[in-house]
Amino acid sequence: TKGLAMATIAPFEEDTSASVASDSKPPLVVGDDSDGEQTAASTNSSVPSEKDATATPKQPTSASAFLSFPETEPKRFHTLQERAKVPPGIYLSNLLVVSFLYSSGFISNFSSNVVPGIWDSLSYVATDVQQKIGSYLDYFLNLKQTCFLPSNISWPWFQNIMVSALVVTVIGSIYYLLMVKPFRAGMWTGTRARRHRLHRYMGLLFLIQYSLAWYEFIANYEGSAKASYLPVTIALNGIIQATSAYFSFKVLPNLADAGFYSDKAVLSRFFVFENLFYQLLTLFGSLYYNDVLRSQLQSSKLGRGLEILFVFFPYALVRPWFPTTHFKDAGTSMSGRSKANERFYIVATSMVKFFYLW
């Protein structure tokens, strides 16, 4: 019960060591979570142990050290009011997002080019999916009549059917794992959906956008995917997701252990905040690999400056404004990974590293 109490009180604990004696009753600490619900827990003593004093470094307090992120949560945790403060990295990311969209012409051409382009991409995906599923079903109906390929069916037609089947299978599997199962678990419905609504439903939209963009990329890259605006909308949604997660889940601990791929530990708030930097890289990439947006970006001094910044110096000038976590530290805090699943963690983490580098 002591461990449960400490885990519950961690995000809300205040400095009471100066006013509570070691032989007094345990203090009752009350804090508000992100939805206004009160949480109460008690500790056996407010005096930090020697282990806590050596294992948890202090938070930087001077104004000159506001970009220094400690590797673990300090021994006296911040209140939710303090954790709700906006860090400089949030201001920087907002400034960069507005600068990207303005200099690339995404804002000025939103109604004339962006909206019609998004509509064309959605129309193509919907029409093509319908046609290919129909052709796929017709092909199997023909197989009922003969065990061989009908004479009027050419090899390119058969090849197209196989590619369509593969795309439908992959996207269907993704939808089942990331949408059907969460729907059945009440991720976007029921009482659980009343909390963190912005983060939940924008996450649902992100999955839909991601699937549509992948289908267009695979099925019609040379036609419409190269100039599609769907990747830009996905990147913008990612910015919203990272920002909303940072402010929605203020109770998450600040740990160097990202909590990524673990079955016992919780996600680190540093990892959530760090993701905002990578979303900025994604946004820049979605603009830079679009020929129309890139040419507009390169036509102004602001756009040229952003191009130089994110092509040559993103990790030198932008990265220090965000905390850093490492996959090598995953599962090192609170025994976050079960030994029985260690092989899965290693393979999954290696795949993420390979995908990112590739």
Side-chain angles (χ1 to χ4, degrees):
T1 57
K2 179 179 177 182
L4 178 61
M6 291 300 294
T8 306
I9 197 176
F12 314 109
E13 187 175 355
E14 298 179 356
D15 185 6
T16 56
S17 59
S19 59
V20 180
S22 60
D23 57 349
S24 63
K25 294 182 179 180
L28 182 65
V29 181
V30 179
D32 293 333
D33 66 9
S34 57
D35 292 311
E37 299 175 357
Q38 287 189 336
T39 305
S42 62
T43 57
N44 292 338
S45 174
S46 61
V47 180
S49 63
E50 181 180 355
K51 180 180 179 181
D52 294 335
T54 57
T56 55
K58 295 182 179 180
Q59 286 274 30
T61 56
S62 63
S64 61
F66 70 96
L67 292 182
S68 176
F69 297 95
E71 292 188 354
T72 57
E73 188 77 90
K75 57 185 177 182
R76 295 183 178 91
F77 297 91
H78 288 186
T79 63
L80 289 180
Q81 289 75 17
E82 293 173 325
R83 292 169 69 90
K85 293 181 180 179
V86 181
I90 297 292
Y91 291 113
L92 176 64
S93 63
N94 290 338
L95 177 62
L96 290 173
V97 169
V98 174
S99 300
F100 280 141
L101 299 181
Y102 175 77
S103 60
S104 64
F106 188 86
I107 295 177
S108 59
N109 299 319
F110 186 77
S111 58
S112 59
N113 293 336
V114 176
V115 173
I118 294 175
W119 177 257
D120 291 341
S121 296
L122 297 179
S123 300
Y124 168 79
V125 172
T127 303
D128 196 63
V129 167
Q130 182 181 5
Q131 292 177 350
K132 289 187 176 180
I133 290 179
S135 300
Y136 187 55
L137 294 177
D138 291 340
Y139 170 72
F140 277 98
L141 290 177
N142 291 333
L143 288 183
K144 291 182 178 180
Q145 303 175 2
T146 177
C147 60
F148 300 99
L149 287 177
S151 58
N152 61 338
I153 297 179
S154 61
W155 170 248
W157 187 90
F158 175 77
Q159 195 174 22
N160 186 39
I161 287 294
M162 292 296 100
V163 172
S164 302
L166 177 62
V167 172
V168 171
T169 301
V170 171
I171 293 182
S173 301
I174 293 175
Y175 263 87
Y176 178 77
L177 292 174
L178 300 182
M179 295 186 66
V180 176
K181 294 195 71 174
F183 259 119
R184 295 176 62 182
M187 181 66 69
W188 297 291
T189 58
T191 57
R192 294 180 59 185
R194 298 175 184 174
R195 308 179 64 181
H196 316 301
R197 291 184 178 179
L198 175 64
H199 189 71
R200 287 178 184 271
Y201 291 108
M202 291 303 290
L204 175 60
L205 178 61
F206 186 94
L207 295 176
I208 297 174
Q209 291 174 291
Y210 197 67
S211 301
L212 295 174
W214 262 113
Y215 187 93
E216 185 183 28
F217 181 86
I218 295 174
N220 193 33
Y221 177 75
E222 293 295 338
S224 63
K226 290 176 63 175
S228 176
Y229 293 100
L230 283 180
V232 183
T233 64
I234 296 174
L236 288 173
N237 195 351
I239 296 288
I240 297 174
Q241 282 294 91
T243 305
S244 64
Y246 181 79
F247 289 106
S248 296
F249 306 109
K250 295 187 289 291
V251 298
L252 294 177
N254 292 332
L255 300 171
D257 178 2
F260 190 66
Y261 281 132
S262 60
D263 57 349
K264 295 182 179 179
V266 297
L267 201 65
S268 170
R269 201 174 185 222
F270 280 167
F271 181 73
V272 175
F273 189 17
E274 179 186 26
N275 186 50
L276 184 56
F277 166 75
Y278 293 102
Q279 290 298 332
L280 289 173
L281 294 181
T282 304
L283 177 60
F284 172 74
S286 67
L287 298 171
Y288 203 68
Y289 284 100
N290 185 298
D291 294 339
V292 176
L293 297 177
R294 183 178 66 252
S295 61
Q296 183 71 21
L297 184 74
Q298 295 173 338
S299 64
S300 64
K301 293 182 179 180
L302 175 61
R304 279 292 187 180
L306 292 172
E307 180 185 26
I308 294 174
L309 175 63
F310 272 81
V311 170
F312 298 104
F313 306 109
Y315 288 90
L317 299 179
V318 182
R319 188 68 176 90
W321 294 76
F322 301 88
T324 302
T325 61
H326 304 281
F327 281 157
K328 65 180 179 64
D329 298 322
T332 57
S333 65
M334 299 177 288
S335 299
R337 292 182 167 185
S338 300
K339 294 296 182 182
N341 300 324
E342 189 65 28
R343 181 177 179 83
F344 167 78
Y345 300 137
I346 295 175
V347 173
T349 303
S350 300
M351 290 178 64
V352 171
K353 291 179 179 179
F354 174 78
F355 178 82
Y356 176 74
L357 294 175
W358 179 73

